[in-house]
Amino acid sequence: DTSIVTKEKTSCKNGIQVMDRKNCSFESRITTTNHPLTRKLFEIMANKKTNLCVAADVTTTEELVSLADKVGPHICLLKTHIDILTNFSQDTIDKLRDLAAKHNFLLFEDRKFGDIGSTVANQYSGGAYKIVEWADLVTVHGLPGDGVIKGLVSAINGRTRGCVLVSQMSSSGALTSEEYVENCSKMAENHTYFVVGFVSQSSKSGDPRFILFTPGVRLGKTGDGLGQQYVTPRSAILERGADIIIVGRGITQASDPVAAAKEYREEAFDAYQERIKHSTH
Amino acid sequence: DTSIVTKEKTSCKNGIQVMDRKNCSFESRITTTNHPLTRKLFEIMANKKTNLCVAADVTTTEELVSLADKVGPHICLLKTHIDILTNFSQDTIDKLRDLAAKHNFLLFEDRKFGDIGSTVANQYSGGAYKIVEWADLVTVHGLPGDGVIKGLVSAINGRTRGCVLVSQMSSSGALTSEEYVENCSKMAENHTYFVVGFVSQSSKSGDPRFILFTPGVRLGKTGDGLGQQYVTPRSAILERGADIIIVGRGITQASDPVAAAKEYREEAFDAYQERIKHSTH
């Protein structure tokens, strides 16, 4: 699986020359994976020229739908916390799915599943939110061991779904040690049929199959008083190796969210292009 | 805070002789803490003579309410996954609260909050479930750092609430290392106004203020095929130091859940009494 041989920009893994993710274009990474959602996400990013994910941390269906429609043209992914909406209904989901189709982005529910397999299977497919029915991607903590992944997979029922492992957190005092990050990497490598990538503040991994999502991105702020710590889009992409930046309050709380989304999108895609500019892939 | 001096059954912490939780009766531990819910839970356990928590992993309001009414007389705590109910409504909560008052047990939502502070504050107080309005206790992962606790506390709004830190998981391949467990202990000690205890498979800690909740307890089974691993009530209490055992499928899937609840209750309380029998507290 890791024996993707290239002539240039290679790094070494298990003695085999492999492409380094950070030097590769999103287009060139499509063929490195069989995961249909990873492929689809690379296609969206390459065609739409955006590696921006908006974290839609709003608390009503109206705000969520309005935000998704406004920033839709500028994003590859809409990250939701569906469980903070005061007026969630099937209508919320119908509208989100329509907007995802209209603007060509994927839906990413940031549930941070963190329980044993039998429980997360029920949480994923059941309850008020029926997340498996509408969210292309979900976030998962590797903390419970890989039963959490097997549990989610047991609930998919033929749908095209994937998860993103939260291997490192951006908050102050997070307990995601180096060993923890390393164990999440191993877990991902053992479950490539479901794991699309990592939510992390940084990654040394050059594996082109996995997408690195970096939250805690904001221009001109350093923290929020409840432990959140911010980095800029350029720093996230050029210094920390992010493929996709996740921006929440920098866009949702901007006086003009559309203008803010454009600004983050341009800054992030420029940084990505700068990162790969010497690459031949 | 740890300078509780006793004559017998003491262990040493920071050079100060302190009571060892595992040798103390629930009654005697009431005065060691100012946390109103820890005190209330000790009172219930002592008066009602039960250290059984039932994990009500059922998927309809009818099953949940029926189970809570049946096992109510035998438990100190009802653990819910409110987000797996197919027909949740305010009525679910009204009935649960009535049953909690009728049978004298606390409500314990096993949400396993695991996000940054600003997000968990919204997840705790908002959305469809408004957990803060009805759950006495909730579970929390220490993974994001102590911002997760501060975030929850910011949403309490004068209510009497508490959390239980999941410091160790019972599932196969869990990433809760010794260092992780230790960091959760420190986090608890820094937030005694909110943290009631730990969900853990074992604990060396003798701190009488913290209650040890042990899940994955079942008679006559070793696992579930999705990573869950079981221990018996006696082993959980006598060998691993549990104060409260959490029993799910061993009771909910029994042909006679009431008889099963009685059996687990007796086995668990007998084991607890055996553990403290030489104690003078």
Side-chain angles (χ1 to χ4, degrees):
Chain A
D1 263 358
T2 52
S3 59
I4 303 140
V5 181
T6 61
K7 284 179 199 147
E8 294 131 317
K9 300 276 174 187
T10 55
S11 63
C12 200
K13 181 164 184 180
N14 304 328
I16 301 161
Q17 293 292 308
V18 295
M19 290 162 74
D20 186 330
R21 171 183 71 76
K22 295 184 287 296
N23 299 320
C24 299
S25 68
F26 299 138
E27 291 92 325
S28 71
R29 290 164 66 184
I30 294 172
T31 53
T32 66
T33 174
N34 290 321
H35 196 307
L37 277 179
T38 313
R39 296 174 71 112
K40 187 165 180 188
L41 193 46
F42 279 139
E43 280 167 13
I44 293 173
M45 291 157 76
N47 295 336
K48 204 171 161 181
K49 299 194 190 310
T50 173
N51 53 341
L52 172 63
C53 169
V54 165
D57 296 339
V58 293
T59 56
T60 66
T61 291
E62 293 70 26
E63 289 170 285
L64 176 59
V65 167
S66 165
L67 180 70
D69 200 18
K70 279 185 200 158
V71 303
H74 304 293
I75 62 177
C76 56
L77 210 54
L78 185 77
K79 186 170 85 65
T80 52
H81 282 298
I82 209 71
D83 60 349
I84 67 172
L85 295 180
T86 54
N87 59 347
F88 171 85
S89 73
Q90 184 58 42
D91 184 56
T92 315
I93 296 311
D94 294 342
K95 285 179 172 154
L96 277 185
R97 290 183 68 108
D98 285 350
L99 290 170
K102 174 182 168 188
H103 296 301
N104 194 28
F105 59 80
L106 299 182
L107 296 175
F108 181 24
E109 168 60 17
D110 192 6
R111 174 58 177 76
K112 292 190 173 68
F113 287 105
D115 216 313
I116 61 171
S118 64
T119 298
V120 299
N122 283 325
Q123 292 173 323
Y124 191 26
S125 61
Y129 301 123
K130 298 183 179 66
I131 296 167
V132 75
E133 295 186 6
W134 56 270
D136 301 291
L137 297 172
V138 294
T139 48
V140 175
H141 282 311
L143 196 66
D146 69 358
V148 67
I149 293 176
K150 293 174 188 167
L152 293 173
V153 168
S154 77
I156 286 176
N157 207 8
R159 297 178 184 88
T160 302
R161 294 290 179 257
C163 83
V164 182
L165 267 173
V166 181
S167 65
Q168 205 180 29
M169 295 193 75
S170 53
S171 42
S172 158
L175 303 185
T176 48
S177 63
E178 273 187 46
E179 188 193 1
Y180 186 90
V181 174
E182 183 57 35
N183 281 320
C184 286
S185 294
K186 284 181 202 152
M187 207 179 284
E189 282 166 19
N190 290 333
H191 299 282
T192 53
Y193 58 91
F194 193 58
V195 180
V196 161
F198 304 98
V199 173
S200 179
Q201 289 310 106
S202 63
S203 171
K204 291 169 196 153
S205 167
D207 193 325
R209 300 170 300 174
F210 294 124
I211 299 176
L212 180 61
F213 305 75
T214 298
V217 175
R218 191 159 182 181
L219 291 162
K221 275 254 187 183
T222 59
D224 79 344
L226 279 175
Q228 177 66 305
Q229 304 172 124
Y230 293 113
V231 295
T232 66
R234 280 187 65 79
S235 162
I237 290 164
L238 292 172
E239 291 161 29
R240 297 171 176 230
D243 293 314
I244 292 178
I245 59 163
I246 302 176
V247 182
R249 286 170 267 184
I251 290 173
T252 57
Q253 296 183 357
S255 56
D256 184 344
V258 177
K262 278 185 192 167
E263 186 184 1
Y264 279 96
R265 172 202 192 161
E266 278 165 25
E267 178 145 334
F269 207 75
D270 283 354
Y272 151 73
Q273 286 184 309
E274 191 175 323
R275 193 174 78 188
I276 62 156
K277 72 182 168 200
H278 301 298
S279 170
T280 57
H281 306 296
Chain B
D1 262 359
T2 51
S3 58
I4 303 139
V5 181
T6 61
K7 284 181 199 146
E8 295 130 317
K9 299 276 176 189
T10 56
S11 63
C12 199
K13 182 165 184 180
N14 303 326
I16 302 162
Q17 292 292 309
V18 296
M19 288 162 74
D20 186 331
R21 170 183 70 77
K22 296 185 286 294
N23 298 321
C24 300
S25 68
F26 300 138
E27 291 92 326
S28 71
R29 291 165 65 184
I30 294 172
T31 54
T32 66
T33 174
N34 289 321
H35 196 309
L37 278 178
T38 313
R39 295 173 70 110
K40 187 165 180 187
L41 193 46
F42 280 139
E43 281 167 13
I44 293 173
M45 291 157 75
N47 295 336
K48 204 171 163 181
K49 299 195 190 307
T50 173
N51 54 342
L52 171 64
C53 169
V54 165
D57 296 341
V58 293
T59 56
T60 64
T61 291
E62 292 70 26
E63 289 170 285
L64 177 59
V65 167
S66 165
L67 180 70
D69 200 17
K70 279 185 204 159
V71 302
H74 304 293
I75 62 178
C76 56
L77 210 54
L78 185 75
K79 187 171 83 67
T80 52
H81 283 296
I82 209 71
D83 59 349
I84 67 173
L85 294 180
T86 55
N87 59 346
F88 171 86
S89 72
Q90 184 57 41
D91 183 55
T92 314
I93 296 311
D94 294 342
K95 285 180 172 152
L96 278 186
R97 289 183 68 108
D98 285 350
L99 290 170
K102 173 181 169 189
H103 296 299
N104 195 26
F105 59 79
L106 299 183
L107 296 175
F108 181 24
E109 168 60 19
D110 192 6
R111 173 59 177 75
K112 292 190 173 67
F113 287 104
D115 216 314
I116 60 171
S118 63
T119 298
V120 298
N122 282 324
Q123 291 173 325
Y124 191 26
S125 61
Y129 301 123
K130 297 183 180 64
I131 296 168
V132 75
E133 295 186 6
W134 55 270
D136 301 291
L137 297 172
V138 294
T139 48
V140 176
H141 283 311
L143 197 66
D146 69 359
V148 66
I149 294 175
K150 293 174 188 166
L152 293 172
V153 168
S154 77
I156 287 176
N157 207 9
R159 296 178 184 89
T160 302
R161 294 291 179 255
C163 82
V164 183
L165 267 172
V166 182
S167 65
Q168 204 180 29
M169 295 192 75
S170 53
S171 42
S172 156
L175 303 184
T176 48
S177 62
E178 274 187 46
E179 187 193 2
Y180 186 90
V181 174
E182 183 58 35
N183 281 319
C184 286
S185 294
K186 285 180 200 152
M187 208 179 284
E189 283 167 18
N190 290 333
H191 298 281
T192 51
Y193 58 92
F194 194 58
V195 180
V196 161
F198 304 99
V199 173
S200 178
Q201 288 311 105
S202 62
S203 171
K204 291 169 197 155
S205 167
D207 193 325
R209 299 170 300 173
F210 295 124
I211 299 176
L212 181 62
F213 304 75
T214 297
V217 175
R218 193 159 181 180
L219 291 161
K221 274 255 186 184
T222 58
D224 78 345
L226 280 175
Q228 177 66 304
Q229 304 172 126
Y230 292 113
V231 295
T232 66
R234 282 187 64 79
S235 162
I237 290 163
L238 292 173
E239 291 161 31
R240 297 171 177 231
D243 293 314
I244 292 179
I245 60 162
I246 302 176
V247 182
R249 286 170 268 185
I251 290 173
T252 58
Q253 295 182 359
S255 56
D256 184 345
V258 177
K262 277 185 193 167
E263 186 184 2
Y264 279 95
R265 172 201 191 161
E266 277 165 25
E267 178 145 335
F269 207 76
D270 283 353
Y272 150 73
Q273 286 183 311
E274 190 173 326
R275 193 174 76 187
I276 63 157
K277 72 182 165 197
H278 301 300
S279 169
T280 55
H281 306 297

